[in-house]
């Protein structure tokens, strides 16, 4: 079964837990208002639609705001995961590039060498070590990566 496009999520909020009432039921009422979420432009890139939030204490009233902050992509986390798996994956060199959009960091692209590196295996290894939202949009294998990092 496919989800109708009108039902696709427009905003993602990563939280450590869901707000819960005294009866241990999720409090979804007024959650968008409590998170101070506003209308989203359909053309906004995905990274500008993702947030992290801290769940208020259990039993907090529905008037309690839920603190949110923009999601921050962490290229260093990916590079650390690549470094840990470098020999197993056959990666000799790597370079992470972040493409900015509207003043915010956007899509991450990982370049690896040599060209024989299996990009699918690299992505699978990264998926075990980093959050899905922090995975690169693409992994491109090149014969070599210039030492001055000018692609």
């Amino acid at each position: 079964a496919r989800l109708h496009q009108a039902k696709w999520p427009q905003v993602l909020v990563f939280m450590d837990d869901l707000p819960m009432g005294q009866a241990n039921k999720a409090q979804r009422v007024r959650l968008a208002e409590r998170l101070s979420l506003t209308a989203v432009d359909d053309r906004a890139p995905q990274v500008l639609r993702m947030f992290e939030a801290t769940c208020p204490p259990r039993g907090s009233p529905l008037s309690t705001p839920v603190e949110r902050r923009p999601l921050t992509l962490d290229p260093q986390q990916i590079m650390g995961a690549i470094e840990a798996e470098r020999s197993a994956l056959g990666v000799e060199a790597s370079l992470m590039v972040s493409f900015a959009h509207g003043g915010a960091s956007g899509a991450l692209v990982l370049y690896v060498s040599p060209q024989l590196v299996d990009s699918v295996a690299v992505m699978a290894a990264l998926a075990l070590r980093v959050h899905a939202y922090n995975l690169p949009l693409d992994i491109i294998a090149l014969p070599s990566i210039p030492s001055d990092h000018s692609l």
Side-chain angles (χ1 to χ4, degrees):
R2 291 182 173 249
L3 190 61
H4 190 272
Q5 186 173 357
K7 302 284 187 178
W8 291 357
Q10 296 298 307
V11 174
L12 292 176
V13 179
F14 296 90
M15 297 178 71
D16 54 346
D17 200 359
L18 285 174
M20 300 292 233
Q22 295 293 355
N24 211 25
K25 290 181 70 178
Q27 291 182 326
R28 295 184 303 264
V29 176
R30 297 178 46 208
L31 188 55
E33 180 183 325
R34 294 174 69 193
L35 286 161
S36 302
L37 296 175
T38 57
V40 176
D41 184 348
D42 287 339
R43 297 167 300 199
Q46 181 179 358
V47 72
L48 297 179
R49 300 168 181 244
M50 295 191 296
F51 302 93
E52 293 176 299
T54 304
C55 186
R58 186 172 303 266
S60 295
L62 292 176
S63 59
T64 304
V66 178
E67 177 189 338
R68 71 163 169 86
R69 58 208 162 278
L71 188 69
T72 305
L73 298 179
D74 186 3
Q76 293 305 319
Q77 185 184 37
I78 296 171
M79 295 308 285
I82 284 291
E83 190 59 39
E85 298 286 336
R86 183 176 297 281
S87 61
L89 295 169
V91 174
E92 294 174 5
S94 56
L95 172 67
M96 178 68 62
V97 177
S98 175
F99 296 95
H101 185 283
S105 61
L108 298 173
V109 176
L110 177 63
Y111 295 91
V112 294
S113 74
Q115 199 162 8
L116 298 175
V117 171
D118 182 354
S119 300
V120 174
V122 172
M123 186 68 83
L126 288 176
L128 295 173
R129 293 181 167 265
V130 301
H131 291 292
Y133 63 76
N134 207 32
L135 288 172
L137 181 64
D138 200 3
I139 297 175
I140 300 171
L142 301 171
S144 65
I145 295 188
S147 59
D148 66 356
H149 299 313
S150 58
L151 294 175

